[in-house]
Each structure stands twice: as structure tokens, then as C-alpha cells.
Amino acid sequence: MRQKLIAGNWKMNGSRSFNANWVKGFNEAMSQCVTQSQAAVMVCVPSPYLSQMSDLLKGSQLALGAQDVSAFDKGAYTGEVSLSMLEDLGAQAVIIGHSERRAYHAENDAMVAKKVKATISSSLMPIVCLGETQEQRLAGQTQSVIATQLKAVMDVLDPDFERLVVAYEPVWAIGTGLTASPEQAQEVHAFIREQLSQKTRHANALKILYGGSMNAQNASSLLSQPDVDGGLIGGASLVTQDFVKIILAAGI
Ligand code: PEP
């Protein structure tokens, strides 16, 4: 039985005062819950706020993640943030290959693979995002797109590596209010697991998250699918009440 993981992706949102209020609101909302969720919970924040969030989350069950990392160790890479810096700031995970980075920062499969490879030799958990565009889905290319994106990652994967998390994030569902149906998500998740089983010994234990307009209303039907092991939540993770409802939906 895989423990579910609910990970918030704040994207480029937050401020020192927003972050402090968010943690306060989150703790209050969690303490008011009658039932406790069994899910692991994480929040991925902009890098400048990792240190503050790490302090705010001391003693809490909430894990901390970053949203991107450099593929390089150190040196003349202006503006980049390294894995050791993320570790130093308290991050336990990092999102890699989010579709917004692929679309706006020209990240391709080769760059994503380099980042995954570097992360594997750190203490961080890589959360690798994959997903097709609307045009690709309509053209019947969903599986081939996912297989290509995943192959680049699997090529650098040690078959014994156990910390990999994959997030299926159909590009057409991110921030649009459109969501994959539970059946559409399950079909792709099962495909991803089958592909993973060709390389890793842990395909049945690895988590595959769904991301794309998951919210308090649709979370439980998506999370009840057998291969949906949690969610990567953008917009709804900024609103603590909604985020907590999603966490509760994962625990039942
Ligand atoms: C995301 O950014 O990973 C995401 C899934 O966003 P949203 O939930 O807002 O669609």
C-alpha cells in the first residue's frame, strides 16, 4: 500500500508575511480536523523563502520542497540555485521539469534528465513532471509523449533508486480549471507505472502524483484511483482551507 503524498506548488507566489500567515492558517485548519489524514504533505515554495519556511515548519509534519534546481554543482552559473544550497536551506524535495519551466525556460528532456541525475546523488526527492498538451492529446499522442519524457529520466535512473516521484500533469489541465477525469488520469498513471517497471525494481512502490486543477471538489474521485498516489497542487495549495480539504480527501 503506497502512502499518498499531497504536495503544494506555490509557483511564483508568496511573501514573508503571506508565508507566515499561510503556516498559521494551515496549522489552525489541521487542528480543527476531526479525522487525521494518513497522507504525507509537502509544500514547494520559491527558493528565496525556503529558509524562512524551514524555520516556520520546524517540528511540523509538513515537508519542504523547492520548485527547480540547477543541473550544475557550483560555479559560474549566474542566477542558478544548486542542490547543496537547497539542502542547506532545508529542502527535502525538488520539482523538476514542470511544464511551465519546459514552456517558458526552454527546458527539454535532456536538461530534465541532467537535473534528475544530479538530484539522485543528493538527499533530495526528485518530483519529475510529465504531461501532454491539448493538441497532443487530441492527436492521440498522449502515451508516446509521456513515454519519450519518461525515457529520458529512466535512462539516468539507477534501478534501485527508491525516492523518485513522478507527477502526471497534463499541460491542458494546469491552471485552466480543466481536470483530467479520474479514468483519464488512471489510464496514464497505469501506463507510467508499466513504463517504470521496465527500468526500476520499485515501480510498484514509487508514487505517481496527479497535477492539473486538482481542488477540494474533485480531489477524492481522482485520489481514489488505484495508481493515483497523491497530487501536485498549484492554485488550491495557496488557500489553506482548500489545501487541507485535499489532504483529508487523500487520507480516506
Ligand atoms: C501545478 O502547478 O503543478 C499545478 C498542478 O497547478 P494547478 O493545480 O493550479 O493546475
Side-chain angles (χ1 to χ4, degrees):
M1 175 85 171
R2 293 177 293 268
Q3 183 192 27
K4 293 227 183 330
L5 169 63
I6 300 298
N9 172 18
W10 281 6
K11 312 193 188 206
M12 199 170 66
N13 293 292
S15 65
R16 288 183 64 81
S17 63
F18 172 91
N19 308 344
N21 281 330
W22 187 96
V23 174
K24 191 164 171 276
F26 178 81
N27 288 338
E28 277 167 13
M30 285 302 267
S31 69
Q32 283 159 14
C33 295
V34 186
T35 50
Q36 292 297 309
S37 170
Q38 303 303 312
V41 185
M42 173 185 295
V43 62
C44 300
V45 306
S47 293
Y49 296 129
L50 283 168
S51 177
Q52 180 202 13
M53 287 296 282
S54 173
D55 288 344
L56 288 168
L57 298 178
K58 275 214 173 78
S60 97
Q61 296 296 312
L62 199 57
L64 186 61
Q67 300 173 9
D68 182 37
V69 68
S70 174
F72 305 103
D73 274 357
K74 63 176 175 176
Y77 302 103
T78 302
E80 293 271 75
V81 177
S82 73
L83 277 161
S84 60
M85 290 172 188
L86 296 184
E87 285 172 330
D88 201 22
L89 293 172
Q92 292 142 284
V94 60
I95 298 172
I96 298 176
H98 191 283
S99 62
E100 287 153 12
R101 295 214 56 87
R102 292 179 190 256
Y104 310 138
H105 301 274
E107 273 193 25
N108 56 20
D109 291 340
M111 178 55 71
V112 170
K114 269 192 189 163
K115 292 183 176 191
V116 173
K117 189 170 181 211
T119 305
I120 284 172
S121 48
S122 76
S123 65
L124 299 190
M125 169 196 284
I127 303 177
V128 182
C129 300
L130 318 168
E132 81 287 4
T133 63
Q134 177 82 298
E135 296 69 37
Q136 290 164 334
R137 176 162 278 268
L138 292 176
Q141 295 166 347
T142 300
Q143 290 199 349
S144 64
V145 169
I146 300 283
T148 304
Q149 292 174 340
L150 196 54
K151 182 175 181 309
V153 173
M154 292 198 303
D155 283 349
V156 299
L157 202 63
D158 179 326
D160 285 320
F161 185 68
E162 290 178 278
R163 269 180 290 124
L164 178 73
V165 174
V166 175
Y168 169 53
E169 297 213 307
V171 178
W172 48 272
I174 297 179
T176 59
L178 297 173
T179 317
S181 69
E183 296 73 24
Q184 283 173 325
Q186 170 56 28
E187 190 182 358
V188 178
H189 283 228
F191 175 72
I192 291 172
R193 202 176 301 286
E194 185 276 318
Q195 296 284 298
L196 284 170
S197 71
Q198 296 179 21
K199 176 73 196 245
T200 154
R201 282 189 252 287
H202 303 288
N204 280 327
L206 297 183
K207 292 189 208 309
I208 305 174
L209 312 183
Y210 169 80
S213 299
M214 189 184 273
N215 57 37
Q217 286 72 44
N218 60 29
S220 61
S221 58
L222 286 158
L223 292 167
S224 63
Q225 296 301 308
D227 286 293
V228 177
D229 306 317
L232 186 55
I233 324 292
S237 71
L238 292 165
V239 183
T240 50
Q241 302 282 351
D242 291 349
F243 193 49
V244 168
K245 283 187 191 148
I246 297 171
I247 294 166
L248 289 179
I252 49 173

